[in-house]
Structures are given as C-alpha cells and as structure tokens.
Amino acid sequence: MFRRYSRIVKMERVPNHEREENINTVEHLHTTDLNIEDILPQKSNKKQKLDHILSTCIKEDAMVALPYKLVSKEPLRAGLVVLQSDETIEADMRRLLPDSMELLVTRVPSAATVSSDTLQEMATVLTGAAALFPTGAPLSVVGYGCTSGSAQIGPAHIAALVKAGAMTANVTEPVSALIAACRALGVQRIGLISPYVAEVSARLIAVLAAQGIVVSAFESFDAPLEKNVVRISPDSIIDAAVAMHQAHQDVEAIFLSCTNLRTL
C-alpha cells in the first residue's frame, strides 16, 4: 500500500505556489490508501502530480553528501553462535562480558529435540550461520553456544566450520571451556548434571574421559524437548546439584551442562 509518501528530502528552485500544491498532494497521499497497481498505469492528475514532485523536489544531482569521519580504533568484539532453540545463553553472555566488549550474535538452525542426529546436522549449517556476522566487524573470538553439539561435532571441526564463515582467529565452545576450567582448577573428577537423553550424555562423558576428566556421578532431567529444557526451574537445578554433592563426596566439582539451562 502507498500510505506514506511524505518526507521530501530537498526542494530546490520550485516556485512557492508549486511547493504549496506539492505539499497538499503529499498530504493527500499520506492519508489515502493507494494501491501501486492502481496509480502507476493511470495517467491521472494524481499520478502527474506525483511525477512532478519526484522530478522537481528530489534531485539527485543537487544533493550534497554530509562530511563524516571513520573511527580509527575497533572495539574489542566477540561473536556468539546461538542455537535457534536457545533462550538463555545470549542474556547470560551479556551479563558475563565486561561493558567494554561488544557482543554480536548470530543464530544457527537447530531441531526442537536433542539427539545425536539432530546435533550432528548443525555441522551442515554452522558455516552459513557464522557468515551472517557483519563482514566489516572483525571478531576477537567467536563462541559456539552448545555443549552437547560441541561434544558431538568435535571442537576442532567446529573451529574450522566457524572460521570458514566468520572473520576471526579464535573459536571456542563449552566443551573446550570445561576442559580448560578443570585443568586450571586441578579438577579430575566431576559430577555431571544435564537435561540430555542418555545417548547425548554418553557422548559428552566419553569426550571428557579422553581428556582425563572422569565423570564419577551423573544425573539427567531426561528432557529431549528444548522448549522444556529452558523452563526447568532454577530451584530444580539447585536441588539436583545439592543432592549430588551430598550423595557423592568424591566429586571435586559439579558441571551443570547445557547453555539453555538457567544456571546464573
């Protein structure tokens, strides 16, 4: 619909009586529903006036570009690839990052249910999602926000897929971050609480074992639907962690897995 043909950029060398007539015409068009197919083919008075406005009031060769300067220093900037189904990690990252660091976000298509197959499918669209970051914004680091997806696809493969689409030298994801945290803290035995179905949890446990991190206690909410994972109450998560700590005194740390869980 042709409703808002107001905001004339510049009027030049147009007699006053013509300006007033043009303004009246624009105001009339502003308040009238006009279909493009109806007005363009017709040699109506309204069409002629509209053509007159376009030809006399908006003159491309008469416009002068405003001066501007480009900033000389880019801010520290991180990118985050978020699952389509994730409702949590974007807000969490904005809380965790310092104000001096910008966060740009892109979304990757993901299934409504979590399984080994649906997680692996993300590998086929990850580069395309990373390519949607602004091309003029170099990224200091890009994070892929999916713990189970990182375990299934593999950190090295994820890094290659992201770098193929985004302008960054550094890529990280939750599994590599967990391994780094355990090594920094000297932790070798952890308890794992996840929302995943058995096959997805088993994959993560195997990946950690290969890095020398033993999962000596494991519990799951067994919630295959992402829309339910994000709605597991914080109290339920805390209760599960407290119960695990009381039942397994040998664990050195408890990992609350899944970026979609509300753990902060």
Side-chain angles (χ1 to χ4, degrees):
M1 302 296 290
F2 237 45
R3 293 204 59 160
R4 296 187 176 271
Y5 221 113
S6 43
R7 295 202 181 181
I8 300 303
V9 175
K10 183 173 182 177
M11 300 181 71
E12 184 178 40
R13 299 193 187 95
V14 181
N16 289 335
H17 71 278
E18 288 190 24
R19 292 187 185 184
E20 185 175 339
E21 181 181 356
N22 291 340
I23 292 171
N24 291 337
T25 302
V26 172
E27 289 178 347
H28 178 69
L29 292 173
H30 175 76
T31 58
T32 304
D33 287 344
L34 295 175
N35 190 294
I36 293 178
E37 288 75 9
D38 292 336
I39 68 169
L40 291 183
Q42 298 178 17
K43 296 296 182 180
S44 63
N45 187 43
K46 214 178 274 185
K47 165 71 164 54
Q48 292 172 356
K49 289 183 177 180
L50 181 58
D51 287 342
H52 182 66
I53 293 172
L54 295 177
S55 63
T56 60
C57 296
I58 304 177
K59 297 184 177 181
E60 293 184 5
D61 59 348
M63 294 186 65
V64 177
L66 294 172
Y68 63 89
K69 296 179 180 179
L70 298 178
V71 295
S72 58
K73 184 178 180 181
E74 291 285 344
L76 197 61
R77 187 183 291 118
L80 180 63
V81 181
V82 181
L83 270 61
Q84 177 183 353
S85 55
D86 195 311
E87 302 176 39
T88 303
I89 190 173
E90 186 174 351
D92 282 354
M93 286 299 296
R94 294 189 189 281
R95 291 173 60 185
L96 293 171
L97 290 177
D99 293 339
S100 59
M101 190 170 207
E102 290 186 357
L103 179 66
L104 300 181
V105 176
T106 185
R107 292 267 172 173
V108 61
S110 60
T113 59
V114 179
S115 69
S116 296
D117 290 339
T118 59
L119 292 170
Q120 189 64 46
E121 285 175 4
M122 274 191 284
T124 64
V125 291
L126 189 50
T127 296
L132 295 177
F133 285 117
T135 56
L139 301 168
S140 301
V141 62
V142 172
Y144 168 65
C146 182
T147 312
S148 54
S150 300
Q152 181 64 40
I153 300 171
H157 193 194
I158 287 172
L161 291 171
V162 171
K163 288 180 180 179
M167 187 167 49
T168 186
N170 303 293
V171 178
T172 187
E173 23 62 41
V175 170
S176 293
L178 170 60
I179 294 169
C182 287
R183 288 175 177 166
L185 297 172
V187 170
Q188 294 181 316
R189 301 177 65 85
I190 68 169
L192 174 63
I193 294 176
S194 89
Y196 313 132
V197 296
E199 61 168 349
V200 174
S201 299
R203 176 68 176 178
L204 177 58
I205 292 172
V207 168
L208 294 175
Q211 296 295 321
I213 300 170
V214 177
V215 177
S216 58
F218 168 72
E219 299 289 346
S220 175
F221 294 110
D222 194 22
L225 295 178
E226 285 280 17
K227 66 179 182 180
N228 291 338
V229 171
V230 68
R231 288 168 178 81
I232 294 173
S233 72
D235 286 344
S236 297
I237 299 170
I238 293 172
D239 290 345
V242 170
M244 176 175 284
H245 173 67
Q246 292 174 344
H248 302 276
Q249 297 291 326
D250 61 321
V251 300
E252 301 168 287
I254 295 176
F255 178 55
L256 306 175
S257 187
C258 188
T259 61
N260 211 9
L261 279 179
R262 303 215 184 258
T263 57
L264 289 187

